[in-house]
């Protein structure tokens, strides 16, 4: 079973359900990548991201570019190829991913972080 509110130090995986959050401690001066997918087959995943740097990273929301990583996102159910991806130098920031999906229609966020 996953930790209530997991912490990823530079690289690792986590899954969070509604009401949970995951903290990712990034490294300064390195290339990092975060990918978030919806594990649910029937419910929309809604999540918020905060703490990411305002520049120096590239963000794709379901294949569409975004200016910043911080914000609120929705990912369709049963669509493993539709993901949020961001990569670049996260300058040692602490990024928080919070699952804000309604608990009655819970969707699990599958998070993968890589630092190289």
């Amino acid at each position: 079973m996953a930790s209530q509110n997991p912490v990823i130090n530079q690289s690792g995986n986590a899954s969070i359900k509604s009401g949970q959050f995951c903290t990712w401690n990034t490294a300064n001066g390195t290339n990092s990548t975060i990918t978030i997918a919806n594990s649910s087959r029937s419910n929309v995943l809604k999540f918020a991201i905060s703490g990411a740097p305002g520049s120096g990273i590239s963000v794709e929301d379901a294949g569409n570019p975004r200016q910043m990583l911080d914000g609120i996102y929705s990912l369709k159910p049963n669509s493993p190829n539709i993901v949020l991806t961001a990569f670049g130098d996260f300058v040692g920031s602490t990024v928080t991913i919070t699952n804000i999906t309604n608990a009655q229609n819970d969707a699990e966020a599958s998070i993968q972080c890589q630092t190289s």
Side-chain angles (χ1 to χ4, degrees):
M1 177 176 232
S3 168
Q4 175 66 25
N5 294 308
V7 175
I8 299 172
N9 288 311
Q10 296 187 23
S11 297
N13 302 317
S15 293
I16 55 172
K17 295 184 178 187
S18 177
Q20 294 180 320
F21 65 88
C22 175
T23 304
W24 177 33
N25 298 316
T26 70
N28 190 22
T30 60
N31 288 323
S32 298
T33 304
I34 182 170
T35 303
I36 302 173
N38 183 358
S39 298
S40 176
R41 293 187 172 269
S42 57
N43 296 323
V44 172
L45 168 65
K46 294 184 180 181
F47 59 97
I49 296 179
S50 62
S55 63
I57 57 174
S58 298
V59 182
E60 287 190 6
D61 179 8
N64 299 310
R66 278 183 65 149
Q67 294 295 318
M68 296 179 58
L69 181 58
D70 283 3
I72 297 176
Y73 298 85
S74 294
L75 293 175
K76 296 178 185 179
N78 203 24
S79 301
N81 295 326
I82 298 177
V83 297
L84 168 75
T85 303
F87 56 92
D89 183 359
F90 280 77
V91 297
S93 61
T94 299
V95 178
T96 302
I97 304 97
T98 305
N99 188 332
I100 58 173
T101 307
N102 182 318
Q104 292 177 332
N105 298 308
D106 199 8
E108 194 168 337
S110 176
I111 303 164
Q112 295 180 336
C113 301
Q114 185 76 32
T115 299
S116 56

